[in-house]
Amino acid sequence: KSIILNKDNSKVNPSFIICGGEKANKSYSGFSNVNIDVIKTHALDYDRYLEEESKNDDVYIDDNYAIFLDEDVPFHPDHLHHGDDPDCDPEKYYSELNYFFKFFENSFGLPVLIAAHPRADYNIKENPFDGRKIILGKTIHYVKYSTIVLSHASTAKNFAILYNKPIVYIDSDNYSCGFRGDILGHANALGQSPVNISNNLSQTIINDQIDIRLYKIYKETYIKEAGTPEKPVWDVYCDYLDSMNV
């Protein structure tokens, strides 16, 4: 059974904490037990990265392409579960997005592939991306071999950072204020400005370069602190248990 705890709760008294990234390593000071064993490891996305790097599979991707990290924005199950309004009306969302994809494809000469959100039900709405190829369950693999990544505020951007892929952040006047704030925060962290696809795209300049320094800072802050073991999280945890003679 898993329980989500507030670190400021005086009843919280863990004996150890598993942390991934410098930000997490600095966030446990509010727990009541000062004698906490801190197991430094990484975000679980790095486990996926290690798995991908260990496969050495033949690559069946011959063409250059861009990959869009879909978040199922108009139909996200969290909004449906809580009865909240979606972050964008479906008709406006897909109309603007597909128009931008067409502009992008014409400008860069790259087809846009769609990395499916794991909880999206595309059978309900068929293919809302004007027939573009939808990739199921292989996001990290397709990010690895992509030329450029398109995103709103997906945490799957961690894969793009790990593989040093340029990220284009997509914004719109039709998105909710909260969602637009998330997009801006993600973009600013990497020194980027979102592309507002509600504007005249003919005057849009898309940055396809990366800031290696900011990518490194982001990785060490949120994904994997420098010097932590290059092994899965639970292997690091098992090493901790072995050291305790458990």
Side-chain angles (χ1 to χ4, degrees):
K1 181 179 179 180
S2 298
I3 301 174
I4 298 176
L5 298 174
N6 184 328
K7 70 175 184 178
D8 296 321
N9 190 324
S10 61
K11 296 181 180 179
V12 175
N13 192 28
S15 57
F16 67 87
I17 297 176
I18 301 174
C19 290
E22 294 174 353
K23 183 78 170 180
N25 290 334
K26 297 174 181 177
S27 67
Y28 57 82
S29 59
F31 287 117
S32 58
N33 179 11
V34 294
N35 298 315
I36 300 173
D37 288 339
V38 179
I39 306 170
K40 292 187 177 182
T41 178
H42 47 255
L44 291 175
D45 280 342
Y46 200 78
D47 276 8
R48 300 292 306 280
Y49 170 78
L50 292 174
E51 291 170 6
E52 180 65 28
E53 289 301 282
S54 68
K55 290 177 182 177
N56 294 318
D57 291 342
D58 291 334
V59 180
Y60 297 102
I61 307 173
D62 297 325
D63 299 324
N64 294 325
Y65 60 90
I67 188 83
F68 171 63
L69 305 177
D70 182 33
E71 295 176 63
D72 200 24
V73 171
F75 302 103
H76 196 287
D78 285 355
H79 290 297
L80 297 177
H81 177 72
H82 294 290
D84 298 332
D85 292 332
D87 286 314
C88 187
D89 171 79
E91 185 174 346
K92 292 180 180 178
Y93 178 79
Y94 290 113
S95 175
E96 273 193 335
L97 204 54
N98 286 319
Y99 185 78
F100 170 73
F101 289 161
K102 185 176 181 180
F103 164 80
F104 179 91
E105 289 167 339
N106 291 336
S107 299
F108 282 81
L110 297 171
V112 174
L113 279 55
I114 312 299
H117 185 275
R119 290 188 288 171
D121 187 351
Y122 297 101
N123 291 324
I124 293 177
K125 49 188 177 294
E126 298 180 349
N127 185 328
F129 298 103
D130 286 353
R132 290 180 174 84
K133 184 176 181 180
I134 296 177
I135 308 301
L136 300 170
K138 296 181 179 179
T139 297
I140 187 171
H141 185 73
Y142 275 79
V143 167
K144 178 179 180 179
Y145 294 106
S146 68
T147 301
I148 194 167
V149 175
L150 311 177
S151 179
H152 287 119
S154 173
T155 55
K157 71 133 182 276
N158 285 356
F159 302 142
I161 291 168
L162 291 170
Y163 285 112
N164 287 324
K165 301 295 181 178
I167 306 172
V168 174
Y169 287 94
I170 302 170
D171 185 24
S172 166
D173 292 339
N174 293 304
Y175 298 164
S176 70
C177 291
F179 190 43
R180 298 191 73 182
D182 289 342
I183 295 168
L184 182 61
H186 279 242
N188 285 350
L190 298 177
Q192 295 280 11
S193 296
V195 174
N196 189 327
I197 60 175
S198 299
N199 293 339
N200 184 348
L201 295 181
S202 65
Q203 300 177 9
T204 297
I205 299 175
I206 296 177
N207 181 11
D208 61 352
Q209 303 299 311
I210 68 172
D211 186 321
I212 292 293
R213 182 184 67 87
L214 290 180
Y215 270 50
K216 181 176 182 292
I217 290 172
Y218 190 95
K219 175 185 173 182
E220 294 183 357
T221 302
Y222 298 106
I223 303 175
K224 183 182 186 297
E225 187 175 358
T228 55
E230 292 284 334
K231 57 175 65 176
V233 168
W234 297 115
D235 283 357
V236 177
Y237 174 62
C238 287
D239 290 343
Y240 164 76
L241 294 180
D242 288 343
S243 71
M244 299 292 290
N245 295 316
V246 175

